[in-house]
Amino acid sequence: MKKGFVIEQALLHHLQAIDEIPEEVVIPPRLVVTVASGERLLERLASQDGPNRAMRELFGEDPEPAPSNS
């Protein structure tokens, strides 16, 4: 098979899938970060805080962290 054919088929399958799934579950391919949310993101990345409850639940972890021995 030629590379162009494979790419074309993949794109056709992708476009068909987008037409078939409900619009409310399609995630836009771009993420818009405002100045304020960007600053909060940078502060969070610089902090030493662990993941919050929502993040632990998202990744299937115990929502209440074990107490530290420090």
Side-chain angles (χ1 to χ4, degrees):
M1 285 188 179
K2 295 200 179 231
K3 192 180 346 179
F5 175 77
V6 173
I7 292 171
E8 181 180 357
Q9 290 301 306
L11 286 171
L12 289 172
H13 284 286
H14 176 74
L15 293 172
Q16 181 181 357
I18 288 177
D19 285 341
E20 292 177 2
I21 59 177
E23 186 176 320
E24 62 270 8
V25 298
V26 176
I27 299 171
R30 294 186 181 184
L31 179 65
V32 177
V33 179
T34 64
V35 172
S37 63
E39 288 173 354
R40 285 194 312 270
L41 177 61
L42 289 174
E43 289 171 5
R44 179 76 171 126
L45 290 171
S47 76
Q48 296 297 319
D49 296 339
N52 62 22
R53 179 185 186 103
M55 287 299 289
R56 289 191 302 273
E57 288 176 353
L58 178 67
F59 287 98
E61 298 175 5
D62 184 6
E64 296 303 324
S68 63
N69 293 339
S70 49

